[in-house]
Amino acid sequence: YDSGVDIRTYGLVYIEEIDQLITGFALGGGGATKLGYNSHVSDKQATLGFKVLQDAYALAGHVYGVDATMSQVSSSLAFQMTNQTVKIIRNTYVHKKAPVKFLDSVNEAYQTAYEALGRGERVVIIADKASKANEAYETMLSLNCVKPEEAIVINRYTANKKDVIQFMRDVNEGAKQYRLVVYNSIMGSGVSITDVVPDTIVQVCEYLPPRNNLQMLNRYRKQKNVYVYMAKSEKLYVHTAKDILNRAREFVDIESGLVRLPAIDRSKVAKTRDSLASISIADKQAQWRSPYIMYQALLEQDGRTYTTTDVVLSGTLSHTITEVRKIQKEKAKFIQANWHTVRPVTQ
């Protein structure tokens, strides 16, 4: 498309992980930063991305949007982009997957991984924060339950490292090379590992909404034993999409009054982005009403059963985690104080 090919010549435009794509475009460019939300997508990328979507819905033969955890974000885009018939197909077939055992703490998650590695098993640890992925990786190495050459951590801090680049180039081959793989949302979509079946998968969910965490869990298509720690925080008061959109408009009116310049009417694409951004933010907030219960519901829809389990923490693990966290804090303070002389963390 970017090379100038007329999109009217496309009989089918197929969009994988459409919810995440639209959300990234909608929040891109810092437009939602004032509301406390942002995206890694730049304003230029978001504008061009929406132009492509707009042309596809208007001119291409068919547009298929696919997402395993699709929300109203995708359907709203379709209804706003075209006057043609929009058909929504929900897959009701449920393939049975490995059951999930819920844990009570992050430390229990680490203990589970520690014991599995000690038995010589192949282990995957999934964390929804880059810092937590690093903590899990450093803890396992410090416990000497896995050799450094047998372990890899994949997140934004390590994305430019040679071994990570090699892993991501062929994830099925890369997964075979390690006994411990730790990753965060950098492998949240677009990755399908089918050739390796981990003995134990441990997931730590503290930051991202339930739908995102389910996407991360399913990167390994074949699973045996799955353990999940999900934070049980709740948010009783959340905003609707209308509330969020009105708040954004209030900011515009305030800034317009401060600089004494009128607010100009925005383009149709910009208004569509605003609408979808508000829907996306409201959907994310709704998931945080009770993330633990929602994740259980999503797991059931995903073909899984779930139970709870108790794990006894060893003194060795507790001491190691304390020391790892202490070192990480000291390292962060050092970088903050000497940021102008410290090499980038990705090098």
Side-chain angles (χ1 to χ4, degrees):
Y1 181 86
D2 201 30
S3 62
V5 177
D6 189 343
I7 202 165
R8 284 173 289 193
T9 63
Y10 286 75
L12 170 66
V13 175
Y14 184 91
I15 308 169
E16 186 75 50
E17 310 287 6
I18 189 169
D19 253 45
Q20 292 188 47
L21 182 74
I22 295 170
T23 299
F25 286 164
L27 300 178
T33 302
K34 293 188 179 75
L35 299 176
Y37 299 89
N38 53 35
S39 165
H40 65 282
V41 181
S42 69
D43 187 61
K44 182 179 179 181
Q45 291 171 327
T47 302
L48 178 60
F50 259 94
K51 180 70 170 77
V52 174
L53 289 172
Q54 185 180 36
D55 289 351
Y57 276 99
L59 304 173
H62 295 84
V63 177
Y64 285 10
V66 181
D67 201 305
T69 56
M70 185 177 290
S71 70
Q72 59 180 325
V73 173
S74 299
S75 58
S76 297
L77 173 76
F79 287 122
Q80 292 185 56
M81 286 287 191
T82 181
N83 293 322
Q84 302 296 318
T85 301
V86 176
K87 183 181 291 186
I88 299 174
I89 300 173
R90 183 172 181 236
N91 176 31
T92 56
Y93 172 74
V94 177
H95 173 68
K96 287 188 177 181
K97 296 182 180 178
V100 169
K101 294 180 181 179
F102 277 97
L103 304 169
D104 285 334
S105 69
V106 175
N107 287 10
E108 286 191 9
Y110 292 167
Q111 180 72 40
T112 302
Y114 173 40
E115 291 177 1
L117 288 167
R119 294 191 296 267
E121 294 182 3
R122 189 185 294 272
V123 175
V124 172
I125 301 177
I126 308 165
D128 57 2
K129 293 174 67 176
S131 59
K132 192 61 70 175
N134 283 343
E135 179 181 277
Y137 174 77
E138 294 294 340
T139 299
M140 295 305 120
L141 290 184
S142 299
L143 287 165
N144 292 317
C145 56
V146 62
K147 297 176 182 178
E149 61 270 22
E150 296 179 314
I152 187 171
V153 58
I154 304 168
N155 57 33
R156 60 191 170 95
Y157 297 121
T158 64
N160 293 327
K161 290 188 174 182
K162 185 178 179 180
D163 57 344
V164 174
I165 293 172
Q166 187 69 28
F167 184 102
M168 296 302 293
R169 193 169 289 153
D170 185 345
V171 291
N172 280 288
E173 190 59 36
K176 296 176 185 177
Q177 309 303 316
Y178 299 95
R179 201 158 66 84
L180 172 64
V181 175
V182 185
Y183 65 85
N184 77 326
S185 57
I186 200 170
M187 275 177 47
S189 62
V191 173
S192 180
I193 299 174
T194 57
D195 295 350
V196 174
V197 185
D199 297 296
T200 298
I201 294 178
V202 178
Q203 184 177 31
V204 176
C205 312
E206 296 180 307
Y207 177 67
L208 293 176
R211 283 200 189 97
N212 295 74
N213 275 300
L214 183 61
Q215 288 274 23
M216 291 166 59
L217 177 62
N218 283 331
R219 294 310 92 199
Y220 279 79
R221 303 305 188 186
K222 300 172 185 176
Q223 304 176 1
K224 292 182 182 177
N225 302 297
V226 181
Y227 298 84
V228 173
Y229 165 69
M230 165 68 73
K232 294 182 180 179
S233 58
E234 292 184 346
K235 292 184 178 180
L236 298 180
Y237 302 102
V238 297
H239 297 97
T240 65
K242 186 177 180 180
D243 293 335
I244 293 164
L245 199 56
N246 287 338
R247 189 180 174 201
R249 287 169 178 162
E250 287 175 7
F251 275 115
V252 172
D253 291 338
I254 291 171
E255 290 187 357
S256 175
L258 289 172
V259 298
R260 296 182 181 181
L261 289 172
I264 62 173
D265 191 34
R266 305 188 74 194
S267 67
K268 181 181 178 181
V269 171
K271 290 179 179 178
T272 301
R273 279 180 60 186
D274 290 345
S275 173
L276 293 170
S278 64
I279 293 171
S280 175
I281 293 169
D283 177 72
K284 186 175 290 188
Q285 288 195 7
Q287 293 182 63
W288 281 117
R289 283 187 180 219
S290 183
Y292 185 78
I293 293 175
M294 182 169 184
Y295 201 41
Q296 291 178 332
L298 289 174
L299 289 170
E300 286 182 346
Q301 294 174 18
D302 196 42
R304 301 175 187 267
T305 58
Y306 58 85
T307 56
T308 58
T309 187
D310 294 322
V311 175
V312 178
L313 299 179
S314 68
T316 301
L317 178 91
S318 299
H319 174 74
T320 301
I321 293 174
T322 299
E323 290 303 308
V324 167
R325 289 172 179 165
K326 180 180 177 182
I327 292 171
Q328 286 184 333
K329 285 183 179 180
E330 290 174 351
K331 188 183 295 183
K333 287 174 65 176
F334 177 80
I335 292 174
Q336 186 177 21
N338 302 275
W339 61 268
H340 57 291
T341 58
V342 177
R343 289 169 61 84
V345 293
T346 55
Q347 295 183 7

